[in-house]
Amino acid sequence: MLKDLKLNNVFVIDIETVPQKENFNELPTDLQYLWGQKTAYQRKDGQTAEDFYEKAGIWAESGKIVCISVGVFHLERKQIHFRVRSFCHTDEQIILKQFANLLNKQSKNLQLCAHNGKEFDFPYLCRRMLVNGINIPLQLQLHGKKPWEVNHLDTMDLWKFGDHKNYTSLNLLAAIFELPTPKSDIDGGKVKQVYYQDKNLNRLAKYCENDVITTAQILLRFKGLPTIPQENITLVK
């Protein structure tokens, strides 16, 4: 599986997102109404639009990106090494510009890899770039491309093996492959609290980086290679 994949041509990425405002009542009235419309069929009986706003970060129309982590493979003394860096900021536009600038310096054939990236990370990035007036880098563009021309890898999609109804979390795959859990500190449900209340971007970056490292390790297992030892993983500050 993936025997022809060149690791040095892969960026492993993960994003963290939160609602655009900390509280529902901070939204303009029209956006409060539209949020209520969008979520009407997803809310449980008796649950208000305000109650449901905790989940707003899941959608690009109501959320924003607060961290992007990127991991790259490289060979050193015949061993695979992995370097990870993060773009975190309270200004989403700054994060997206930094990430777009990084991609624009790479080959147009660079492959992007994420867990559930095809349904979440990749479209979310494109949508938020459009909202922020940033040109979408070639590596993220889908329009006009044939399916085999899209250089997007998705470890969840690969694990499905054509089973479209199947969803497998990154945490579960890590457990199956006996890898350290990426959720040892916080999980997705606490990202909003860490961002808005704790104001701890470093903690968010660590959480995002752990997901990237785990995704990279799973990709290696899919490729039939051993995982990278901890001493060969570098976090770039």
Side-chain angles (χ1 to χ4, degrees):
M1 188 175 181
L2 302 178
K3 66 177 183 179
D4 295 326
L5 177 67
K6 296 180 180 179
L7 293 174
N8 62 355
N9 192 46
V10 175
F11 271 15
V12 183
I13 70 167
D14 185 61
I15 67 174
E16 299 304 328
T17 65
V18 298
Q20 288 174 18
K21 301 292 183 181
E22 182 177 4
N23 300 304
F24 178 74
N25 57 19
E26 295 178 61
L27 290 174
T29 304
D30 59 335
L31 289 181
Q32 290 184 22
Y33 172 75
L34 291 168
W35 170 253
Q37 276 195 322
K38 181 178 178 66
T39 60
Y41 297 105
Q42 294 165 308
R43 302 195 306 267
K44 298 177 182 178
D45 290 344
Q47 192 175 32
T48 67
E50 183 174 1
D51 295 335
F52 201 70
Y53 189 65
E54 288 293 313
K55 298 184 181 294
I58 296 174
W59 291 279
E61 300 87 353
S62 54
K64 65 177 182 178
I65 295 171
V66 294
C67 186
I68 305 173
S69 292
V70 183
V72 295
F73 298 94
H74 65 100
L75 281 176
E76 188 176 316
R77 298 177 182 176
K78 298 183 179 180
Q79 289 188 340
I80 299 176
H81 289 246
F82 195 62
R83 293 170 61 87
V84 187
R85 66 176 296 191
S86 294
F87 304 98
C88 283
H89 204 279
T90 54
D91 187 331
E92 182 188 42
Q93 189 176 70
I94 289 175
I95 298 171
L96 292 173
K97 281 183 177 179
Q98 289 175 336
F99 182 62
N101 288 340
L102 176 64
L103 290 186
N104 288 332
K105 295 175 184 177
Q106 312 304 316
S107 165
K108 66 178 182 179
N109 296 317
L110 176 77
Q111 294 190 280
L112 299 176
C113 176
H115 190 77
N116 198 28
K118 291 183 178 180
E119 292 190 5
F120 185 69
D121 303 72
F122 304 144
Y124 204 114
L125 281 163
C126 292
R127 290 164 183 159
R128 295 309 302 172
M129 284 182 180
L130 283 179
V131 169
N132 282 277
I134 298 169
N135 291 330
I136 298 173
L138 288 173
Q139 298 90 344
L140 281 168
Q141 292 182 20
L142 300 179
H143 182 71
K145 290 184 178 179
K146 298 177 177 64
W148 56 88
E149 294 174 335
V150 178
N151 290 321
H152 292 172
L153 290 169
D154 185 332
T155 47
M156 189 178 84
D157 189 54
L158 289 167
W159 179 251
K160 286 181 178 181
F161 289 96
D163 180 6
H164 296 292
K165 67 182 182 297
N166 186 53
Y167 174 85
T168 307
S169 70
L170 182 63
N171 204 25
L172 177 54
L173 272 188
I176 291 169
F177 286 109
E178 299 183 346
L179 297 169
T181 174
K183 314 298 182 185
S184 57
D185 180 28
I186 60 176
D187 59 35
K190 294 182 179 179
V191 170
K192 178 176 179 284
Q193 174 192 320
V194 174
Y195 179 76
Y196 279 114
Q197 297 176 25
D198 303 342
K199 303 185 187 304
N200 195 335
L201 289 177
N202 288 333
R203 191 177 177 194
L204 282 181
K206 182 179 179 181
Y207 172 64
C208 199
E209 288 162 359
N210 284 343
D211 277 359
V212 165
I213 292 167
T214 301
T215 302
Q217 301 284 36
I218 289 170
L219 186 66
L220 290 174
R221 294 298 296 271
F222 286 178
K223 194 169 166 56
L225 295 172
T227 54
I228 304 171
Q230 187 61 42
E231 60 267 23
N232 287 0
I233 299 174
T234 304
L235 303 180
V236 181
K237 301 300 181 182

